[in-house]
Amino acid sequence: MENKKEKFFWADETAEKIIKERKGKKIYICASGITPSGKIHIGNFREIITTDLVVKALEKKGKKVRFIYSWDDFDRFRKVPSNLPENKKKEFESYIGMPLSEIPSPFDKKKSYAEYFEKEFEKTSKKVGVNPEFIYQNIMNKKHKYAPLMKKAIDNRKKIIKILNRYRKEPLKENWMPVEVYCNKCKKDYTKIKNVKNYEIEYECSCGFNEKIDYRKKGYVKMKWRVDWPARWHYEKVDFEPGGADHSAAGGSFETGKQIIKEVYNDIAPAYNLYEWITVKGIALKDFHSSKGNTMSIQEVEDIYEPEILRYLFVSTRPNKAFQISFDNDVIKIYDEFDSLENKYYEGLANPQEKRIYELSKLDITKEKPKRINFRHLITLVQTGKIGKLKGIEKIRSEKVVKWLEKYADDDMKFEVQDKVNIDLTEKQKQALVALKESLAVKDFNEDELFNEFYNICKAVGIEGKEFFKTAYNIIINKNKGPRLASLILAIGKEKIIKLLNQIK
């Protein structure tokens, strides 16, 4: 969680900075975006939620905000993902060099390659309370929306070359162009620009096709990334956009973008937050990259984490700090942390920083504290078949527990309630378990009372507590250890435990 000594939440500080730097604006534009080259992984989510938090901070200050998310789906298809079926790989090799929006999806014949991943992400982002206005760059380019900006970039290409060469080991050639063309015949970008005059571009393609076009009328010309980003800042009047560590490095695309927007478009770059990468704990991922196919999607994370707890993972860590998303037993700890924060919030014990973290994690704030069951306790309830009557958020959490047990939980968290006694017992062990059966038969215990009764039994029988617990676990779930014994017995039901212990002779 954030350092509690910090006076203001980072997104509120960023919102204040934006307002001071951009005085008098009626509406603030906050942007984010990505190339849909494959499954949108959880690392990509850090960018969009960073923007979402700044949007909410501006809105809290009474400002109108337009939250835009650009799909760079007019980018080229660069390589065949490793997770593609073998019988599809040869086909998709033939699409390399074409726009992502113009090739078919291998997973859904009704959608393009880009659209398949876009719609998957858009659906999931709503679940976690992130609702931007989506902009599709293939449509923007096909409608020639950036033609004047392209011309300005071409007219000022020497300035752009000079800016980019400041950070390049090998300088760009004098005939370098800030735009590229998709061939009108083969649809690929293996083209060479031969001549440019006003809005006319003459090009030739490696496939043998050549033509002269007016790019105000033909929508298959696009700006190169280092120029495209600042041009769109200018076009959309962007006030805030975060960027990853790669874009933020010295000489990176944000650094050159700041200079290009100033020197070419006579504008200023948006306020900016660097965000660090995240890693996954508890799962072996060889590659964490969309285009390779081996990624952890937001949907897969949301299978385990409730939407507001998924948000909490990101909200509670500053964007410029790396962190891990856990799928091992730390999942229990994270749920406990959130529940503890929620309790403090409703009890009025949360400090200002904690209050903001909770408010920005929640999809909505209710007057009364939500009714929840502890994740660890649900692990027991799920495996003892006691979740049939759960409703609302308790049912949602139980579903997360079920999926976690199926996919990621260690073996020591899994158990099966036994119907028969399958182990040999010493006389003291028998006496202790018979005493437990008799206690359960005459009294209805709560968890604390039952826990204390265990030690009364151990003292009366003269058995070590460690031996008693190990024996009880072996009898009940055929393991040396498990969930808290008192909680386990109460979850299973004393009638079933008594019936099991009646087998001890």
Side-chain angles (χ1 to χ4, degrees):
M1 187 180 288
E2 287 293 312
N3 187 341
K4 295 178 183 178
K5 293 180 181 179
E6 293 179 354
K7 191 173 181 181
F8 300 108
F9 185 69
W10 69 265
D12 296 322
E13 292 175 340
T14 301
E16 281 292 339
K17 178 184 176 184
I18 293 167
I19 293 167
K20 286 179 181 177
E21 290 180 354
R22 314 254 174 161
K23 291 180 180 178
K25 288 202 73 170
K26 292 182 179 179
I27 184 167
Y28 291 87
I29 314 299
C30 295
S32 188
I34 194 173
T35 299
S37 57
K39 185 192 298 182
I40 313 304
H41 62 69
I42 190 62
N44 303 137
F45 183 67
R46 189 159 209 186
E47 175 167 321
I48 194 171
I49 196 168
T50 297
T51 307
D52 176 73
L53 297 177
V54 172
V55 168
K56 287 177 169 56
L58 284 166
E59 290 173 338
K60 185 177 174 65
K61 295 177 185 297
K63 303 301 180 183
K64 290 184 178 181
V65 187
R66 183 182 177 219
F67 179 9
I68 60 175
Y69 190 89
S70 280
W71 286 117
D72 290 329
D73 51 10
F74 209 50
D75 285 0
R76 77 194 303 264
F77 181 58
R78 295 183 178 277
K79 55 187 171 184
V80 178
S82 58
N83 68 333
L84 217 59
E86 286 299 322
N87 63 344
K88 290 279 187 181
K89 287 184 177 179
K90 190 172 182 180
E91 174 194 347
F92 275 78
E93 282 175 4
S94 69
Y95 298 137
I96 291 174
M98 293 174 65
L100 293 165
S101 59
E102 308 307 303
I103 63 177
S105 166
F107 311 108
D108 186 342
K109 294 179 181 179
K110 295 179 181 179
K111 295 184 175 75
S112 72
Y113 186 94
E115 187 183 12
Y116 175 82
F117 296 111
E118 290 166 352
K119 298 308 174 189
E120 185 182 64
F121 175 83
E122 289 173 15
K123 183 180 178 181
T124 307
S125 68
K126 287 182 181 179
K127 290 183 180 179
V128 292
V130 179
N131 298 288
E133 170 192 340
F134 291 100
I135 297 174
Y136 305 90
Q137 291 304 321
N138 85 88
I139 295 174
M140 296 296 287
N141 279 277
K142 288 172 184 174
K143 289 184 176 180
H144 332 111
K145 295 291 186 181
Y146 305 129
L149 301 180
M150 290 180 185
K151 185 176 186 302
K152 202 156 194 175
I154 292 169
D155 291 345
N156 288 273
R157 67 185 184 84
K158 289 185 178 179
K159 283 185 181 179
I160 296 172
I161 290 171
K162 186 177 179 181
I163 291 168
L164 298 180
N165 280 346
R166 290 171 188 158
Y167 308 99
R168 292 178 59 88
K169 291 181 179 179
E170 186 177 332
L172 294 169
K173 295 178 180 179
E174 288 187 12
N175 64 350
W176 178 87
M177 284 289 172
V179 298
E180 52 197 355
V181 185
Y182 286 111
C183 175
N184 194 27
K185 184 180 180 182
C186 71
K187 310 303 180 187
K188 298 184 177 182
D189 63 354
Y190 300 136
T191 58
K192 180 180 179 182
I193 295 174
K194 296 171 66 177
N195 189 39
V196 178
K197 185 178 181 182
N198 293 323
Y199 283 95
E200 286 187 342
I201 286 181
E202 185 180 355
Y203 73 92
E204 62 181 1
C205 181
S206 61
C207 74
F209 183 76
N210 63 83
E211 68 174 338
K212 184 187 288 186
I213 62 168
D214 183 332
Y215 57 87
R216 292 171 298 182
K217 299 175 182 178
K218 299 292 184 181
Y220 39 88
V221 180
K222 72 182 291 288
M223 287 178 282
K224 293 178 179 176
W225 165 244
R226 292 262 182 164
V227 182
D228 185 53
W229 200 18
R232 280 195 268 150
W233 289 339
H234 176 67
Y235 181 88
E236 301 287 0
K237 299 179 175 57
V238 177
D239 299 298
F240 172 78
E241 183 167 5
D246 52 344
H247 296 313
S248 310
S253 50
F254 181 71
E255 178 65 37
T256 57
K258 283 194 299 183
Q259 296 173 50
I260 290 170
I261 194 172
K262 180 180 178 181
E263 296 186 32
V264 175
Y265 298 110
N266 194 31
D267 203 347
I268 60 170
Y272 184 79
N273 267 101
L274 176 155
Y275 61 85
E276 272 292 353
W277 309 122
I278 62 171
T279 53
V280 171
K281 182 173 181 277
I283 303 174
L285 288 179
K286 292 182 180 179
D287 298 298
F288 202 46
H289 198 285
S290 295
S291 61
K292 293 182 180 179
N294 291 334
T295 60
M296 174 62 64
S297 72
I298 301 168
Q299 180 59 57
E300 289 170 300
V301 179
E302 203 262 337
D303 279 347
I304 305 303
Y305 288 102
E306 295 168 11
E308 51 206 9
I309 296 184
L310 194 158
R311 288 182 64 90
Y312 168 75
L313 291 170
F314 290 86
V315 175
S316 60
T317 308
R318 272 187 172 268
N320 62 355
K321 292 183 180 178
F323 74 97
Q324 291 182 319
I325 292 182
S326 297
F327 288 85
D328 57 11
N329 288 358
D330 282 351
V331 169
I332 302 168
K333 178 184 174 185
I334 291 163
Y335 270 88
D336 285 346
E337 282 180 2
F338 179 81
D339 290 354
S340 175
L341 177 63
E342 186 167 71
N343 289 336
K344 288 177 75 174
Y345 181 87
Y346 281 95
E347 290 167 6
L349 301 175
N351 63 38
Q353 188 81 328
E354 290 170 329
K355 284 182 68 176
R356 284 300 279 147
I357 290 171
Y358 180 75
E359 289 166 356
L360 288 166
S361 298
K362 285 283 289 178
L363 302 184
D364 60 88
I365 303 293
T366 54
K367 288 185 178 180
E368 295 184 2
K369 184 171 81 70
K371 185 181 178 183
R372 300 187 191 277
I373 298 177
N374 176 274
F375 191 93
R376 185 185 295 275
H377 186 48
L378 273 171
I379 293 171
T380 302
L381 294 181
V382 163
Q383 295 182 97
T384 53
K386 301 291 184 177
I387 61 169
K389 295 181 180 179
L390 297 182
K391 296 180 180 179
I393 58 176
E394 291 181 335
K395 186 174 188 300
I396 291 170
R397 182 171 287 192
S398 72
E399 290 167 353
K400 307 301 181 188
V401 170
V402 169
K403 288 182 180 177
W404 181 71
L405 285 167
E406 288 175 352
K407 293 182 176 182
Y408 308 115
D410 292 341
D411 285 342
D412 64 355
M413 300 304 299
K414 301 175 185 179
F415 63 83
E416 185 176 346
V417 179
Q418 303 297 294
D419 293 319
K420 295 181 180 179
V421 174
N422 295 312
I423 62 169
D424 295 326
L425 300 169
T426 66
E427 282 304 313
K428 280 193 175 182
Q429 289 170 346
K430 289 180 182 179
Q431 289 173 25
L433 292 173
V434 169
L436 173 61
K437 177 188 71 174
E438 292 171 349
S439 294
L440 291 172
V442 299
K443 183 177 178 181
D444 291 327
F445 293 94
N446 63 33
E447 190 172 332
D448 289 338
E449 290 170 343
L450 183 55
F451 180 77
N452 290 330
E453 183 66 9
F454 296 153
Y455 286 97
N456 292 335
I457 291 169
C458 290
K459 186 176 180 180
V461 172
I463 189 173
E464 290 289 330
K466 186 176 181 181
E467 184 181 355
F468 170 81
F469 281 97
K470 182 179 178 180
T471 305
Y473 281 125
N474 272 280
I475 290 287
I476 297 169
I477 59 174
N478 196 30
K479 289 197 169 191
N480 291 331
K481 59 182 179 178
R484 294 186 181 98
L485 185 59
S487 174
L488 176 65
I489 289 172
L490 295 177
I492 294 170
K494 71 176 189 176
E495 292 80 10
K496 189 168 184 178
I497 296 297
I498 291 170
K499 185 177 179 182
L500 178 64
L501 297 180
N502 273 333
Q503 299 174 38
I504 297 172
K505 305 297 182 184

